[in-house]
Amino acid sequence: MDNQPAGSRKPDNQPIGNRKPDNRPIGVFDSGLGGLTAVKELEKILPRESIVYFGDTGRVPYGTRSRETIRRYAAQDMAFLMNHDVKAVLAACGTVSSTAGDIGRNLPVPYFDVIGPSAKAAAGLTKNKKVGVIGTSATIHSDAYRQALLGIDYKLEVYSQACPLFVPLVENAFISPQEEVTRLVAQRYLGPVREAGVDTLILGCTHYPIIAPIIASVMGHSVSLVDAGREAALALAGRLAEDGLLCGEGNPRSAAFFVTDEPESFTGVAELFLGHSVQGRTGRVSMEGA
Ligand code: DGL
């Protein structure tokens, strides 16, 4: 599964009890804003940890691109984070997770993604064994969530739906619960999954929790929503703790955000979503084609 350790996951051979705290940052990336759903959770559960975030806002969306392009971008994104001396990499992107997991698992640091943790959470939550999955076209086409769910419980009925317009709506800040355009699009996409009678819905693209109130009101509030970014962050936190890779008590926490397009619109939505300022901590970097 994609959240399993890479072969060289342990950074050294010391017994965990004797290992020094690891104050290096955690690297998180996405095609744009969506990975902030994982950052928000990490800030809550691991408030002392430093984070380096990379959002490829100049090349978003990934989910409508070819598998080959997504894999090339993912490899570049991971290399960027590795150059920042991160101790772990979280692919907070359903599209990358479902298309380039093998690249992540070959990194020399622990790699995590959103598929396994979300499938596990959904399988644990569903009562009627009907689970919906929404994601980008590439993610749904990959079938990765369905396979992960059936690997946990082959009796699950899985209903998948691609929602390609959600990512541009979020990136362009159409995110208020009162936003009519987003609600109309949600009604169109979610109708068949709702009609199928799912009691649990995986928000399999990390952008989607940003419009969770709209999704919840369209699906009905009795349907449990699984936030892929949040589940991945929880899995990462658990694994770092287990492996003795958390930072020390006095770690001077830092957070840096890098984007490949102008930072203004990113900082606006990021602040709204994270509930704190990222001003002065967001920089622009260039990437091929951005
Ligand atoms: N947040 C990304 C995901 O989870 C969005 C992908 C895209 O850029 O289309 O799939």
Side-chain angles (χ1 to χ4, degrees):
M1 241 187 316
D2 281 351
N3 62 325
Q4 289 303 301
S8 53
R9 166 152 280 191
K10 294 261 165 64
D12 53 46
N13 292 325
Q14 290 180 52
I16 285 166
N18 296 345
R19 198 174 284 145
K20 284 200 199 119
D22 191 332
N23 289 345
R24 290 176 298 166
I26 298 167
V28 182
F29 77 100
D30 178 46
S31 58
L33 287 154
L36 295 175
T37 54
V39 171
K40 188 173 186 171
E41 194 61 28
L42 286 175
E43 288 183 342
K44 196 156 75 186
I45 55 180
L46 297 176
R48 289 206 309 268
E49 293 289 332
S50 296
I51 292 175
V52 175
Y53 183 82
F54 175 78
D56 199 359
T57 52
R59 301 189 296 191
V60 69
Y62 283 11
T64 48
R65 295 180 192 270
S66 68
R67 180 180 151 79
E68 190 189 42
T69 303
I70 296 166
R71 288 174 63 79
R72 190 171 77 250
Y73 288 179
Q76 292 167 350
D77 303 348
M78 292 184 210
F80 176 85
L81 290 177
M82 291 307 297
N83 282 336
H84 283 77
D85 193 26
V86 296
K87 64 182 169 189
V89 167
L90 170 55
C93 175
T95 306
V96 168
S97 302
S98 61
T99 311
D102 56 316
I103 301 174
R105 286 188 293 274
N106 279 322
L107 292 173
V109 297
Y111 166 78
F112 301 84
D113 72 22
V114 300
I115 309 283
S118 315
K120 195 170 160 201
L125 279 169
T126 183
K127 299 274 184 293
N128 70 2
K129 303 247 179 214
K130 293 183 180 184
V131 177
V133 179
I134 55 174
T136 66
S137 304
T139 298
I140 298 304
H141 192 244
S142 77
D143 211 31
Y145 279 108
R146 182 201 301 274
Q147 286 169 19
L149 283 161
L150 297 181
I152 296 167
D153 180 351
Y154 72 94
K155 288 193 176 137
L156 292 174
E157 284 175 43
V158 184
Y159 298 89
S160 304
Q161 174 70 51
C163 306
L165 289 176
F166 279 172
V167 168
L169 285 166
V170 170
E171 289 287 328
N172 288 287
F174 286 76
I175 57 175
S176 142
Q178 286 76 42
E179 192 56 70
E180 294 215 357
V181 180
T182 309
R183 181 173 299 273
L184 278 175
V185 172
Q187 281 165 346
R188 180 71 84 84
Y189 282 146
L190 300 176
V193 189
R194 193 187 52 216
E195 297 311 311
V198 305
D199 70 355
T200 305
L201 178 68
I202 297 180
L203 309 185
C205 166
T206 52
H207 279 67
Y208 300 175
I210 297 175
I211 51 166
I214 295 178
I215 294 173
S217 76
V218 172
M219 288 302 294
H221 290 280
S222 61
V223 174
S224 307
L225 302 184
V226 175
D227 174 335
R230 176 172 183 271
E231 295 305 329
L234 289 167
L236 178 148
R239 183 61 65 129
L240 291 189
E242 249 174 68
D243 286 2
L245 289 176
L246 292 175
C247 67
E249 291 266 325
N251 183 40
R253 183 183 182 274
S254 66
F257 298 83
F258 295 96
V259 291
T260 51
D261 202 349
E262 54 85 21
E264 266 92 292
S265 62
F266 174 85
T267 53
V269 181
E271 289 179 11
L272 210 62
F273 185 71
L274 294 175
H276 62 75
S277 169
V278 298
Q279 211 68 286
R281 285 187 283 161
T282 307
R284 183 172 182 170
V285 291
S286 53
M287 284 268 173
E288 161 229 320

